Amino acid sequence: QVQLVESGGGLVQPGGSLRLSCAASGSIFAIDTMGWYRQAPGKQRELVAAITRGGGTNYVDSVKGRFAISRDNAKNTVTLQMNSLKPEDTAVYYCSAEIIVLRPTPTVVDYWGQGTQVTVSS
């Protein structure tokens, strides 16, 4: 009984910025790694950025220096700040989380949000 909800997507001009947010709710004991994936039309889903519970980060090469991922463990949220956006960043962005649940037994379960559209165009 866990769900992830993304927000913040939209239409932006090249060079602009957007901030995506994701909130996890439900029967959550704790959350390990959280991240953002994206999928463009005709392309395979790829990992954009990930962040561990301790704050360690990892980015796909194409967004390094432009995107920044962060999290708030107390609020069970993860954010992706996207700057200097390019048309190639256009995609549906999905939030992901490794969530520790206690029922029916203590287990780590991967969850995904429904996705939010990001379009970079003039």
Side-chain angles (χ1 to χ4, degrees), residues 20-36:
L20 306 182
S21 296
C22 173
S25 62
S27 301
I28 300 170
F29 179 74
I31 304 178
D32 286 331
T33 300
M34 304 184 79
W36 290 92

Side-chain angles (χ1 to χ4, degrees), residues 37-62:
Y37 288 75
R38 68 185 180 187
Q39 187 165 26
K43 289 189 174 182
Q44 203 150 301
R45 185 173 61 182
E46 67 173 349
L47 175 67
V48 179
I51 183 168
T52 66
R53 182 172 180 82
T57 59
N58 186 43
Y59 300 90
V60 66
D61 287 343
S62 61

Side-chain angles (χ1 to χ4, degrees), residues 38-117:
R38 68 185 180 187
Q39 187 165 26
K43 289 189 174 182
Q44 203 150 301
R45 185 173 61 182
E46 67 173 349
L47 175 67
V48 179
I51 183 168
T52 66
R53 182 172 180 82
T57 59
N58 186 43
Y59 300 90
V60 66
D61 287 343
S62 61
V63 309
K64 288 181 178 178
R66 299 188 297 120
F67 291 10
I69 189 170
S70 60
R71 65 188 288 169
D72 186 332
N73 292 334
K75 297 181 179 180
N76 289 335
T77 60
V78 61
T79 298
L80 184 67
Q81 178 66 47
M82 304 186 294
N83 299 321
S84 301
L85 283 162
K86 305 174 180 180
E88 66 189 58
D89 296 317
T90 296
V92 177
Y93 284 70
Y94 298 90
C95 174
S96 70
E98 298 177 340
I99 298 177
I100 302 172
V101 299
L102 298 182
R103 305 294 297 273
T105 57
T107 310
V108 178
V109 181
D110 292 337
Y111 281 89
W112 296 85
Q114 297 183 105
T116 184
Q117 176 70 231

Side-chain angles (χ1 to χ4, degrees), residues 2-26:
V2 175
Q3 55 184 1
L4 274 58
V5 180
E6 304 103 331
S7 63
L11 174 64
V12 65
Q13 294 184 347
S17 299
L18 283 175
R19 186 169 69 178
L20 306 182
S21 296
C22 173
S25 62

